[in-house]
Amino acid sequence: MTLPLQREDSDGYPMATLSPNGAKGRFGVSYVRSIVSQAGVGFTETSPDEDVLAVDGSVDFAIASARIQVKCSSRFSISGSSATWHSELHWRERWSACALPVYFVLVIMDFDDRAEWIRHDDRGTRQTAAAFWVRVNQLGEDQKIHVPKTQRLTAESLNLWAKEVEECF
């Protein structure tokens, strides 16, 4: 027996197949992809069943790749000085084993409502989010990841990441 496709989800979106958290996770990775593409750098996403290194993808520089873990949340405000995310032991173990940089990227949306994530108007389509980052493969024992909002993810951030990757050689 096959189940009919759901015509609308609880928010009125047609044929939604992702859970609210799944949709948020996909938005976070897509947001990061947009910043990386703006910088003209490649991005390779980790297949969902192959994320054994606790990373969602790699930013592909000419010399080597940096790994990134992306989390997306509306629990925080884009404004403010920092955000804190709980890390799991197996994440920290895998990150610390990496000789190349591993970055934790926190995508923050001021809205929980999916209709507010992306705005369409006459001037274009705008994502209503911001991402912030911190290097985590040298995190140590601390279970909390402190993400300073002075480290906003922009195309220019990738210049620093590329330099940190190059310094590994």
Side-chain angles (χ1 to χ4, degrees), residues 68-81:
I68 61 169
Q69 172 68 38
V70 180
K71 294 295 179 188
C72 186
S73 178
S74 57
R75 292 186 328 196
F76 306 100
S77 171
I78 292 173
S79 63
S81 60

Side-chain angles (χ1 to χ4, degrees), residues 40 74 83 129 147 168:
S74 57
V147 184
C168 294

Side-chain angles (χ1 to χ4, degrees), residues 58-136:
S58 297
V59 178
D60 304 320
F61 300 110
I63 192 167
S65 298
R67 295 177 178 160
I68 61 169
Q69 172 68 38
V70 180
K71 294 295 179 188
C72 186
S73 178
S74 57
R75 292 186 328 196
F76 306 100
S77 171
I78 292 173
S79 63
S81 60
S82 67
T84 302
W85 195 274
H86 178 76
S87 69
E88 299 190 22
L89 177 61
H90 71 275
W91 296 356
R92 295 190 310 276
E93 289 172 343
R94 284 159 182 84
W95 295 339
S96 66
C98 189
L100 293 169
V102 179
Y103 299 99
F104 180 87
V105 177
L106 179 60
V107 178
I108 298 176
M109 304 175 305
D110 276 341
F111 306 99
D112 202 36
D113 179 7
R114 276 186 288 167
E116 299 294 328
W117 297 356
I118 299 174
R119 295 181 185 219
H120 308 276
D121 60 41
D122 293 340
R123 294 185 55 211
T125 300
R126 297 172 188 1
Q127 300 176 5
T128 54
F132 305 91
W133 62 274
V134 65
R135 188 169 173 178
V136 291

